[in-house]
Amino acid sequence: MGNHPANPGLIGRRDFVMTGSASALFMTIAPLSAQATPEGALAAIEKVIGAKAPKKGKIKVILAEIAENGGTVPLKVSVDSPMTPEDHVQAVHVFTDGNPFPEVASYYMGPHNGKAFLSIRLRLLKTQNVIAVAEMSNGETFISRKNIKVTIGGCGG
């Protein structure tokens, strides 16, 4: 630091590029070292919804059985709810149990949404479960999961 000729408090271009390159390398390597486990996904779910025991029903994960390209996997989640001020979905959380970071996304909803439905694309490293959890306005939680086989170029994964 402090090697800029006009202003000793600024860093030079070369130091900036080297620092940025080192940061990018760290960000690329760090996620690969994390452990992906079903227990990690369960811990992530508990972190988001607390000690509530989610029930089956009301929420549906719509996902292909096989993905030939794990880089862009379409996922749809729907929740059976009237979406009225008295009875609606407050949030939908998506998790995976085979990626280094199990928390994928959280979507917050309300009666103004009209429909409890979302459509996203995931990046999946390998064959794993995709888990969706819905939090309802009355405090109930619902869970659904679906296993997807991720292949690379048509080969098993």
Side-chain angles (χ1 to χ4, degrees):
M1 281 202 142
N3 64 357
H4 190 274
N7 188 343
L10 295 177
I11 65 171
R13 187 177 354 186
R14 181 174 293 144
D15 289 337
F16 177 78
V17 170
M18 288 174 41
T19 302
S21 298
S23 297
L25 179 63
F26 174 76
M27 294 302 289
T28 303
I29 294 172
L32 299 177
S33 64
Q35 291 294 327
T37 64
E39 294 80 20
L42 292 174
I45 292 169
E46 187 174 329
K47 178 180 161 193
V48 172
I49 66 168
K52 299 174 190 170
K55 304 175 202 171
K56 290 186 178 184
K58 288 201 178 197
I59 186 167
K60 184 177 180 183
V61 173
I62 305 159
L63 187 66
E65 290 184 22
I66 298 173
E68 291 186 19
N69 177 4
T72 175
V73 178
L75 166 71
K76 295 177 183 174
V77 178
S78 66
V79 184
D80 181 21
S81 170
M83 296 303 281
T84 63
E86 302 78 32
D87 184 8
H88 61 272
V89 177
Q90 287 187 318
V92 174
H93 309 285
V94 179
F95 304 89
T96 60
D97 67 4
N99 281 356
F101 298 103
E103 293 179 62
V104 175
S106 290
Y107 295 89
Y108 297 91
M109 302 180 178
H112 58 277
N113 287 100
K115 221 169 136 177
F117 178 83
L118 62 97
S119 177
I120 61 173
R121 293 194 178 267
L122 302 174
R123 181 176 228 173
L124 302 175
L125 294 175
K126 61 183 181 178
T127 297
Q128 60 190 290
N129 289 304
V130 175
I131 305 155
V133 177
E135 290 185 275
M136 309 302 285
S137 58
N138 65 1
E140 289 183 301
T141 56
F142 294 90
I143 190 168
S144 179
R145 72 190 63 186
K146 186 163 183 188
N147 188 269
I148 182 167
K149 181 175 182 171
V150 178
T151 64
I152 300 169
C155 299

